Amino acid sequence: MKIIIYILPFVFAFSVHAQDRVQYSKLINQAWQLYQHEDYEKAGIKYSEAFTALGGKGILSDRYNAACSYALAGKQDSAFAQLFKIVSNGSYTNYEHIVNDEELISLHSDGRWRDIMEWARQNKFNEQAKADTDIVANLEKIYEENRAARFKRNDIVANYGWNSEEMKAYQNTIRERDSMNILTVTAILEEHGWLGPEVIGKQGNATLFRVIQSADLNTQEKYLPLLRDAVKLGNANPSNLAVLEDRVALSQNNRQVYGSQIGKDEDTNEFYILPLEDPDNVDKRRAKVGLPPLANYIQNWNMIWDLEEYKKRLPALEAKVSAKR
C-alpha cells in the first residue's frame, strides 16, 4: 500500500536550494500520477530522478513509495535499494505496515527481505524504548481535564441552560484551557510527528486528534496532512481523519465528504446534515474509513436518511450555511 510518512510537513529538513526543492516536488508529483495510472516502472524511475535532483537525498515516504513502485514493476533490486536506505538509518519504524503491505509481496521470497524485516523490527523496538514518558503524562493530563470539562459543561447546561450567563463564563474557561492544550499538542507534533498508539497508547493517540479537531482552522489545516499520513501508517484512526476532513472542508466553504458534521436550525431546533458532497456514494466513503452507514449515524439526532429528499434540499442547505458565515 502506498504511504506517506508522517514527517512530510517537515519536508526538506536537509539543506537544499529552493530551485532543487521545486524540481523535487514536481518530479514526485509526476511519479505519483504515474503510480495512479499503474505505470509502476516509470513511476519508480521518476522517483529516482527526484532523488537525483536533490543530490541523492530524498524524503523517507517518497523512498518507500519508490520501493513499492519498483516492486510492482518486478524490479526487485531497485526496490530493495530504496528499502535499505529507509531502514538502515533507523528512520522507518512501522514494522506492521511493511510486513503486511501487499505491494511488497513480490519481495518476500528474496533473501534480502529478512534483513529488511530485522532492521524494521529493531527500529520499532528502539523507538518504543525511547518513548517519552513526559509526552504520555501530558496527554493523560489533557484527556482527564477535557473529560472533567465535559461533565461540568453538561451539569451547567442541565441546571442553567446552554445560553445562560453561567455557560458563557464557562465557555471562556474552556477556550483558555483549549489554547494551552493546543500549544502542548502542537509542540509534540512538531518535534515527534503524529505518534501512534504503540508509542503513546490509544488514549494518548486519541487525545492528539481531539485537541487538533477542536482547534482553529489554521491549526486544523496545518496538521490535517500529518493526520492523513498517520492514518496511512496505521498511527491514527481513519474515522478521526474523516471528521477532521469534514470540519476543514466546511470551514473552507466546501462540502463535507463523510457526513460527520451536523447542523441545527435555530428557528425550528431541527438537526440536519451539513452540505455533503456526492450524497449518493457517501456510505461507500464512510465504509472505507470504518464509519457506519449515514442512516445509522444520524439516528443519534433522531434523523432519518432520505437520499433523494436530501439532494433536493441541498441547495437550500448550502444557502442557509452560507448566510450564517
Side-chain angles (χ1 to χ4, degrees):
M1 181 181 295
K2 186 178 188 297
I3 64 167
I4 304 177
I5 304 300
Y6 65 70
I7 60 173
L8 189 57
F10 313 118
V11 167
F12 311 122
F14 37 80
S15 177
V16 293
H17 297 295
Q19 185 175 356
D20 294 336
R21 293 200 299 267
V22 172
Q23 180 65 7
Y24 180 89
S25 297
K26 178 181 177 181
L27 291 168
I28 290 299
N29 288 334
Q30 292 174 357
W32 171 229
Q33 293 298 321
L34 289 166
Y35 175 92
Q36 287 185 307
H37 288 90
E38 300 184 0
D39 197 343
Y40 299 121
E41 183 172 359
K42 288 185 179 179
I45 292 172
K46 194 63 66 174
Y47 276 118
S48 294
E49 289 178 8
F51 306 145
T52 301
L54 285 187
K57 300 173 183 177
I59 300 168
L60 186 153
S61 58
D62 295 332
R63 288 199 181 279
Y64 186 99
N65 295 337
C68 289
S69 298
Y70 280 127
L72 290 168
K75 303 294 182 179
Q76 292 194 346
D77 289 344
S78 296
F80 276 113
Q82 299 301 327
L83 290 177
F84 276 117
K85 285 182 180 294
I86 67 173
V87 299
S88 61
N89 64 5
S91 298
Y92 188 82
T93 61
N94 197 337
Y95 175 76
E96 288 78 8
H97 180 87
I98 196 170
V99 166
N100 295 303
D101 194 335
E102 295 181 356
E103 295 188 353
L104 300 176
I105 287 178
S106 63
L107 307 180
H108 290 192
S109 59
D110 191 297
R112 291 170 288 184
W113 181 252
R114 180 178 297 177
D115 295 332
I116 294 293
M117 291 299 95
E118 286 301 318
W119 244 319
R121 184 186 294 109
Q122 186 61 45
N123 290 346
K124 178 181 178 180
F125 175 82
N126 292 341
E127 181 185 61
Q128 291 175 324
K130 293 186 294 184
D132 192 334
T133 55
D134 288 340
I135 293 177
V136 176
N138 285 334
L139 293 175
E140 173 72 18
K141 180 181 178 182
I142 291 173
Y143 172 83
E144 292 298 337
E145 286 180 348
N146 287 346
R147 184 168 174 267
R150 287 195 299 273
F151 286 134
K152 185 171 182 179
R153 182 186 62 190
N154 292 341
D155 287 342
I156 293 175
V157 171
N159 293 324
Y160 302 101
W162 185 263
N163 296 317
S164 64
E165 292 300 319
E166 289 81 0
M167 188 60 202
K168 292 177 181 178
Y170 190 62
Q171 290 284 56
N172 290 331
T173 301
I174 291 177
R175 279 191 285 271
E176 291 176 4
R177 184 183 295 123
D178 286 348
S179 297
M180 297 302 297
N181 291 342
I182 289 170
L183 290 175
T184 299
V185 165
T186 55
I188 292 171
L189 295 176
E190 290 291 342
E191 183 174 356
H192 302 280
W194 203 291
L195 298 172
E198 74 280 358
V199 178
I200 56 175
K202 291 183 179 179
Q203 182 174 289
N205 183 255
T207 300
L208 292 178
F209 162 71
R210 288 170 183 165
V211 171
I212 295 301
Q213 65 95 25
S214 62
D216 60 277
L217 177 59
N218 288 338
T219 300
Q220 291 177 346
E221 290 176 329
K222 180 177 181 179
Y223 294 103
L224 178 57
L226 201 65
L227 179 55
R228 288 175 183 149
D229 302 339
V231 168
K232 292 176 183 178
L233 279 171
N235 286 340
N237 192 323
S239 63
N240 290 346
L241 174 60
V243 171
L244 191 58
E245 293 277 15
D246 282 353
R247 282 180 176 253
V248 170
L250 290 168
S251 296
Q252 294 173 336
N253 299 324
N254 298 317
R255 294 178 178 179
Q256 61 175 325
V257 177
Y258 300 98
S260 67
Q261 304 301 295
I262 306 298
K264 185 178 182 181
D265 190 309
E266 296 178 357
D267 296 325
T268 65
N269 287 326
E270 292 181 341
F271 293 101
Y272 59 92
I273 302 167
L274 289 165
L276 175 63
E277 181 69 26
D278 185 19
D280 294 272
N281 295 299
V282 63
D283 281 340
K284 293 180 181 178
R285 298 192 297 272
R286 290 176 64 86
K288 286 182 179 179
V289 295
L291 291 172
L294 189 59
N296 295 1
Y297 174 64
I298 64 176
Q299 287 178 359
N300 293 312
W301 292 269
N302 296 317
M303 288 189 288
I304 297 176
W305 177 233
D306 186 326
L307 175 60
E308 297 305 321
E309 179 63 23
Y310 182 80
K311 289 193 290 186
K312 292 178 183 178
R313 294 184 59 200
L314 187 52
L317 291 176
E318 289 186 305
K320 179 187 297 186
V321 172
S322 178
K324 289 182 177 181
R325 292 193 176 106

